[in-house]
Amino acid sequence: MKFRAVIEEILATALKVTNERERLSVAFKISGINLDADMRITDINGDPQKALQRLMHNLSELAVVKISAKQIIRRAGLTL
Amino acid sequence: MAVSYNSSDPVEIAPGVFHLGVQDKPNSFNNIPYLIVDGDEAVVIDPGSAKPEFFEVVLAKIRKAADMRKIKHIIVQHQDPDLCAAIPLIEPYCASDVQVHAPLEAKVLVQHYDFKARLHPLDDGDALTFGNGRVLRFIMTPYCHFIGSMVTYDLKTKIVFSSDAFGGFTGAADLFAGPDYPIQLTSFLGQYLGSKRALEYALKRLEQLAAGPGIEMICPQHGCIIPRELIATYIEAAHGLHVGGEVDALAAKHGISLD
């Protein structure tokens, strides 16, 4: 459950630091995290921890989102 | 509704002080040089990037705001390329005796941008005085985020040009800090600053300024302008920041104890 909450927080922060919604949506989708048209998480394919690991890899092209996400992951006490 | 800036017009944020911001939409890392024009003199603060899509915007905005031959001084508040790379490009349009000013510790790096102008080193408390007596005071903010980092205080308008301090990640071209700015600011500063002690020192210098002569605006080189009524809120938020955490994260990942 903690991993899903962290993914939710990463998404909420991402929407505040970038306007690149399409690229963001693609990064989440290829990580196995599906978003609806309002950029809300609908479902996560498989283990949320693995999805978070994939997401961090796929966010590299959206540097400010990944930088922000690192802070969120650390604050949650997670080590990936 | 938020006030935005565009890619063609400078925004006069105080009499003779112009915001020359360039939106970096794909990277959400907007780049904001400033121009001060007073009488026959002008100063550019943190002129910006050498990439044409940035520099050409800045050049066009300066041309709309002032005769570029009035530019006698270029101030760079640390050595990073997003604020220094434009120095050799802007230099040919400026006064023939234009000078570049940089913090002492940054000077040794700024020289590598390969411009012809004299490079003048700055230390804490140094000032640049216009011919008409207007004073820009330089306040060193070491390790925030580089040993040779500073902010510039304009005594006339009471504006602090803060460089990376109080910057934020922003995809939009909003001129002033809005409801999302606390997250945008903490996401940036929390990761880019390494020393809580250095941050506290910088914040206390700004608090001294706010309590003394006063601060009307904080104008960072990324993100949004923080107006007077929000300055205390943002200084308070910055006091609460945990910085340098990336070291802890990587130490944990690699089983390294730092205690």
Side-chain angles (χ1 to χ4, degrees):
Chain A
M1 196 60 203
K2 191 171 191 177
F3 290 98
R4 176 160 182 139
V6 166
I7 293 169
E8 300 264 11
E9 190 178 345
I10 290 171
L11 176 59
T13 298
L15 293 170
K16 292 184 187 338
V17 301
T18 183
N19 287 359
E20 295 288 297
R21 289 185 165 224
E22 185 58 38
R23 289 166 67 201
L24 197 59
S25 184
V26 169
F28 274 75
K29 188 177 172 65
I30 61 175
S31 306
I33 305 162
N34 297 309
L35 310 181
D36 65 16
D38 295 322
M39 301 295 283
R40 285 184 301 230
I41 295 173
T42 53
D43 60 274
I44 296 174
N45 301 334
D47 181 358
Q49 181 175 356
K50 292 212 162 38
L52 179 56
Q53 286 169 332
R54 287 193 298 269
L55 179 64
M56 289 305 284
H57 175 75
N58 293 325
L59 283 176
S60 291
E61 288 299 316
L62 283 160
V64 304
V65 178
K66 184 167 180 175
I67 292 164
S68 306
K70 284 182 173 187
Q71 207 173 3
I72 293 165
I73 289 168
R74 193 173 64 245
R75 247 192 343 250
L78 300 179
T79 302
L80 295 180
Chain B
M1 184 162 164
V3 180
S4 298
Y5 55 93
N6 61 34
S7 58
S8 58
D9 301 306
V11 181
E12 191 167 16
I13 54 173
V17 181
F18 297 89
H19 176 290
L20 311 171
V22 185
Q23 190 178 7
D24 182 8
K25 211 170 168 211
N27 295 301
S28 300
F29 207 41
N30 298 351
N31 192 295
I32 312 170
Y34 295 92
L35 172 73
I36 301 173
V37 185
D38 197 333
D40 290 337
E41 290 177 80
V43 173
V44 177
I45 299 177
D46 296 340
S49 168
K51 289 182 78 176
E53 59 267 43
F54 288 79
F55 177 68
E56 284 167 11
V57 170
V58 172
L59 189 63
K61 288 189 175 189
I62 295 176
R63 281 178 162 152
K64 282 190 176 176
D67 172 359
M68 291 191 70
R69 290 288 164 192
K70 288 185 177 182
I71 300 172
K72 295 185 176 172
H73 304 279
I74 297 170
I75 296 166
V76 290
Q77 301 190 101
H78 60 282
Q79 80 292 347
D80 284 351
D82 58 332
L83 57 101
C84 290
I87 298 172
L89 300 179
I90 202 172
E91 179 182 36
Y93 301 100
C94 298
S96 57
D97 58 348
V98 65
Q99 291 186 32
V100 178
H101 305 262
L104 180 69
E105 296 85 351
K107 177 181 179 273
V108 290
L109 298 169
V110 171
Q111 64 166 328
H112 294 292
Y113 290 102
D114 196 21
F115 46 87
K116 294 180 179 65
R118 178 171 177 250
L119 177 53
H120 186 258
L122 300 172
D123 214 334
D124 188 53
D126 284 352
L128 176 65
T129 305
F130 286 61
N132 64 8
R134 183 180 190 155
V135 175
L136 302 179
R137 180 81 58 196
F138 304 114
I139 298 167
M140 296 300 143
T141 54
Y143 306 111
C144 198
H145 63 85
F146 176 68
I147 171 65
S149 297
M150 68 176 194
V151 303
T152 300
Y153 181 64
D154 176 14
L155 274 68
K156 182 175 179 180
T157 59
K158 302 183 193 297
I159 291 175
V160 171
F161 299 95
S162 67
S163 193
D164 279 345
F166 293 92
F169 293 140
T170 49
D174 295 334
L175 199 59
F176 293 102
D180 290 340
Y181 204 59
I183 292 283
Q184 294 164 343
L185 177 137
T186 53
S187 296
F188 170 59
L189 286 187
Q191 285 296 97
Y192 272 77
L193 298 184
S195 164
K196 181 73 176 175
R197 195 172 165 82
L199 173 62
E200 284 298 316
Y201 172 77
L203 293 174
K204 286 179 194 300
R205 288 297 303 270
L206 291 180
E207 285 172 329
Q208 282 180 342
L209 267 186
I215 303 176
E216 279 299 315
M217 287 180 225
I218 295 178
C219 293
Q221 189 236 340
H222 304 289
C224 302
I225 294 171
I226 299 174
R228 181 170 47 86
E229 60 272 19
L230 293 177
I231 289 172
T233 305
Y234 279 94
I235 288 180
E236 192 58 38
H239 275 304
L241 269 179
H242 177 71
V243 302
E246 195 60 16
V247 172
D248 302 324
L250 289 177
K253 179 180 175 182
H254 295 289
I256 294 168
S257 171
L258 296 172
D259 295 327

